[in-house]
Every structure is written in C-alpha cells, then in structure tokens.
Amino acid sequence: MNRTAAAVMFRQSLRAFTVIDKIVSSFSALIATGTVELIGYTSTMPQPTDAATPAIFWTTTIIMFGLPILGWICTLVAMHYCHLSKDDMVEVQKRIEKKKNAVPTESEEK
C-alpha cells in the first residue's frame, strides 16, 4: 500500500470516528433529557436553586455512577467472548505499527 492510499484510509477512519462520536453525543443528550422528564420536569429544566429532591439525587447518582458501571460490565462481557491469545495480540501490534509507518506525517505531505 502506498502512502497516498494509507493517508486516504486514515482520513476515512477519522470521518467514521467523527460520525460515531456525534451519534454517541446525541444519545447522551437524549438520555439526560429523558431522565429529567421522568422525574417530573416536563416544561422546565431543574435549576441550581431548586430544592434537592430524592428524585433528582437518585437520577443524578444513577447517571453519574450507574451508566459507567453498566458500560464497564458490557466491556467485561465483550472481553470474555473475545478470544485473543498472546500471539494474536503480537500480530495486531505488528499490523498497527505497519499502518502507522505507512501514513505520512504532516511534514512529509508538504
């Protein structure tokens, strides 16, 4: 693979990352808005001067600690079913290094 093709592949992977990042950001706003609506705020958002209610406390606690824990559990389950040996990891590292060496640096592109 020549350097131009590698650079094109690198740029395409960045575009894919950007799209995925935007989708995840949209879901985070959806989750926040949905949980605020579930605790009773349908026409306004909770304000810093509002009294701390148990619903606000538990919703905040679940979002702040529960969702990351759920994500970590999903990661552990995925890792359990992904069978990579040490030899496989060495091969993956070699492929990554080969791709890194194939992509031209900014100074080489100019």
Side-chain angles (χ1 to χ4, degrees):
M1 177 185 329
N2 63 22
R3 290 182 182 261
T4 307
V8 169
M9 287 178 55
F10 180 71
R11 287 186 189 105
Q12 288 174 345
S13 66
L14 284 179
R15 285 189 197 115
F17 171 77
T18 303
V19 170
I20 292 170
D21 185 50
K22 288 180 181 180
I23 291 170
V24 170
S25 296
S26 298
F27 276 123
S28 64
L30 178 69
I31 290 169
T33 305
T35 53
V36 167
E37 183 180 1
L38 285 175
I39 62 173
Y41 288 91
T42 55
S43 59
T44 62
M45 292 294 285
Q47 301 299 314
T49 57
D50 290 349
T53 64
I56 293 173
F57 171 77
W58 287 111
T59 301
T60 304
T61 303
I62 289 170
I63 289 175
M64 189 168 180
F65 299 110
L67 288 180
I69 290 171
L70 181 64
W72 294 330
I73 290 170
C74 291
T75 301
L76 290 174
V77 169
M79 288 172 60
H80 176 74
Y81 290 106
C82 181
H83 302 289
L84 285 175
S85 67
K86 185 175 181 176
D87 296 332
D88 293 336
M89 284 305 299
V90 168
E91 182 62 32
V92 167
Q93 289 172 348
K94 286 179 182 177
R95 286 192 312 228
I96 290 171
E97 186 64 30
K98 185 177 176 184
K99 287 180 183 180
K100 281 183 181 179
N101 291 334
V103 176
T105 61
E106 290 182 22
S107 61
E108 291 175 356
E109 288 180 353
K110 294 180 183 178

